[in-house]
Amino acid sequence: MLEVIDVSKSFKERTAVSHVNFFIEKGEVVGLLGPNGAGKSTTISMISSLVAPSAGEIFLGGYSVKKDRTSIRRMIGVVPQEIALFQDLTAQENLRFFGRAYKLKGNELQERVEHVLEIVGLSERADEFVKTYSGGMKRRLNIAVALLHEPELLIMDEPTVGIDPQSRSYILETVRELNRTKNMTIIYTSHYMEEVEYLCDRIYIMDHGEIIAAGSKKELKAMLMEEDSVVVTLSEPAEKFAEKLRENPAITHIHTSGEEAMIRAVKDTPVLESVIQLTRAAGVDIKSVEVRSPSLEDVFLHLTGRTLRQ
Amino acid sequence: MFKTMLGKEVKQLLRERSELLTLLIMPVILITILGSALQNMMSPGSAGTDKVTTAVVSETSQEEELNNFADYIANQEIPEEERETLIEEAVNVSVPELLTETLNALADDGFLVVSEYAGGAAEKDNYDGVWHFEADYREQAWKQMFLGEERPEPAEVEASGQTAVIEGVSDAFFNELNWQKEATYLALAEGEALPEPIQTEVNVEQLDNRSVITSFDYYTAGMAVMFVLYTATFLATTAHTERKSHVYHRLLTSNVPMWMYLAGKGGAGVLLSLLQLSLIFTFSSLVFDVSFQNLGLTAVIAGGLALTVGSLSMLLTAVNYRIRNEQASALFASVGVTILAFLGGSFFNVSQLSETVATIGRILPNGAAMQSLLAVMGGAGSELIYPMLLSIIVFSVLFAGAALLVFPRKEDL
């Protein structure tokens, strides 16, 4: 359904996106995972036809983003990272305004407005001003606007930024339901790996404007199958021991944060023993030890040496 | 979509109390304060911003009347030597010439423009004031001055504008003339009775059906043309918020073209300005008895000004988008409006300061609209609003054209 072919985008001296390639099949939920500034939003803007690629091509349903902008825009619904709503209007007024922008009118407009309000659970508060809504409600209305014209491709750019866990969970469920019941194709960008992990069939990991890994959750995690992950919490800052641990050839990666050290080592090597020996020698207590299976966060760490939120 | 955008802007404005305060309450308060405070300072007719144009019309020439006077005194029992002195003196106290001299002195100071008509008639409509001296006025005045005969009928003064100025100049001139005459008599002919003053009152005749402009008229026009400019800044500021919150992006992705968005801002500017002007005018009309004389012409002026505000809204929106902040509209609201209002004469008649400033003010759309409103309030016909229409068309086209040029294409957003 969507093909992004060798797309790059430069703003003056800065390259925001470099030689990005990916595809999305109809009915898929695909995640774009990456830290802030990785190039996710620029990629989204290019797919949305808001920013023209400096190089490469993007096709949606056979239409070129460069040549058939109007057709492309009819097919997509964009949920921007920002709350793109009129704060002084009610939810109903906002939806009617954008509905008319999508050329909906009369009964059809009213039916669609009621329907999307129902989807995002705001029917009861449709006549309240947006400025009186909580952050989560605004986010939900932000999604509702993008659903008004029943798009084939829903593009969601960080739709859960800055909201409470309950609202986040509601939004994630809504996205799942849209995909399940309407077979809607969805691009979901986030730097919350747990959201992408929960929602997406396939994931593209971006960093510094490039796609550095792609595949299903299983495929990505398989990159780390040859390694074990251990998280050790110490009674003192972990960085003190990191240097000595690095001397152990079985340890492939160490990431410290405060008293916590995340250690990856070659599978089935006695890495925990080394840690215990080192801490004993230094007179430091181990508070807890967790051996865990690899997550997308670990994959990102493995690929970039940084966490998603760094 | 255009209608939807207009409706949205109106709703947003009605829900913005601080903006409503600026756009509607502030002008009404200022009209009330300034109109009341300057009621006595601004006497009828002094509201205009033009130089006062004057004409002095004598039906006969001085020479002709001097000959008649010489013939008259030749038949009187006056010694030859004294007759010659009287003839010489008569030339020095010829009232139309003295008045012309006084007016010329004022013209040299830049206050007015003087034209002289000897033995002819001035086109009354072309002047703010016309002093008209009958065929034998000089002769009668000399007879009264030198021979103590009956004083002549007062010279007729026809004022079509700047009534207070014309009246003031007349009063000052004739008072001075009589005073000097009295002083001469007291010095030369002590003991003799003083002759009557030649003109103790000025008959000011209003021409046509023009009304005098009151301070409330003046400030209704002044504040309306000033505060209507804030409508443009309001719209440009909301546009900036729409850019920041990506509402504009959302409109683009729903296939609303860029020009439609700008046109929506322009249309909203026109609509909101018309509403604002209507409310201010209605208030002034009901509370301060401000009369617009010709509602059709007033509507044309309001429509023209609203059109300019609409195109200005587009331009400020475009500049805000181009520079990616709201400094353009903020700067215009704080400095631009004040400068335009000052030049346009919203606060006071700037022609008193400088004719150049006044000319610039009359070219600006707000100044041109204000002049036209004052002219219509004074009962003028449609011909007086043509310059304003030209100014408005030129500025509207310039603003709208510049807006389209300045508004960034999608990649710059």
Side-chain angles (χ1 to χ4, degrees), chain A residues 9 50 52 69-70 73 78 80 82-86 88-89 93 97-98 100-102 129 142 145, chain B residues 1 4-5 8 11-12 15-16 242 244-256 410-411:
Chain A
K9 179 67 193 177
L50 288 171
R69 222 163 48 192
T70 309
R73 287 175 177 177
V78 182
E82 296 75 13
I83 306 290
L85 301 166
F86 299 109
D88 290 325
L89 303 188
E93 287 168 343
F97 176 85
F98 287 109
R100 289 199 184 96
Y102 284 119
F129 291 119
N142 212 24
V145 173
Chain B
M1 191 57 211
T4 308
M5 288 193 68
K8 186 268 295 178
K11 275 182 194 164
Q12 280 187 307
R15 288 165 190 173
E16 276 280 347
E242 286 160 9
K244 243 173 68 179
S245 64
H246 286 229
V247 164
Y248 176 66
H249 274 164
R250 181 157 248 169
L251 287 170
L252 286 182
T253 54
S254 42
N255 274 326
V256 173
K410 58 187 182 299
E411 285 175 50

Side-chain angles (χ1 to χ4, degrees), chain B residues 82-103:
Chain B
E82 199 175 328
R83 280 208 299 267
E84 279 172 18
T85 311
L86 283 178
I87 296 293
E88 277 170 26
E89 193 59 27
V91 176
N92 295 330
V93 290
S94 177
V95 176
E97 281 68 31
L98 284 174
L99 175 65
T100 307
E101 205 175 297
T102 306
L103 293 176

Side-chain angles (χ1 to χ4, degrees), chain B residues 318-337:
Chain B
V319 178
N320 274 351
Y321 268 65
R322 167 62 70 186
I323 61 175
R324 297 176 181 213
N325 58 48
E326 55 183 329
Q327 276 178 8
S329 51
L331 191 71
F332 182 77
S334 57
V335 180
V337 172

Side-chain angles (χ1 to χ4, degrees), chain A residues 24-40:
Chain A
I24 299 176
E25 298 291 354
K26 171 94 184 131
E28 268 192 312
V29 182
V30 170
L32 264 185
L33 186 66
N36 290 329
K40 303 187 301 287

Side-chain angles (χ1 to χ4, degrees), chain A residues 74-77 102 104 108 112 115-116 119 144-153 182 184:
Chain A
R74 268 193 221 114
M75 294 170 74
I76 59 170
Y102 284 119
L104 299 171
E108 191 190 14
R112 294 271 183 92
H115 182 58
V116 295
I119 290 174
V145 173
L147 298 174
L148 273 168
H149 62 303
E150 300 185 326
E152 290 177 45
L153 173 67
K182 296 180 187 291
M184 195 175 275

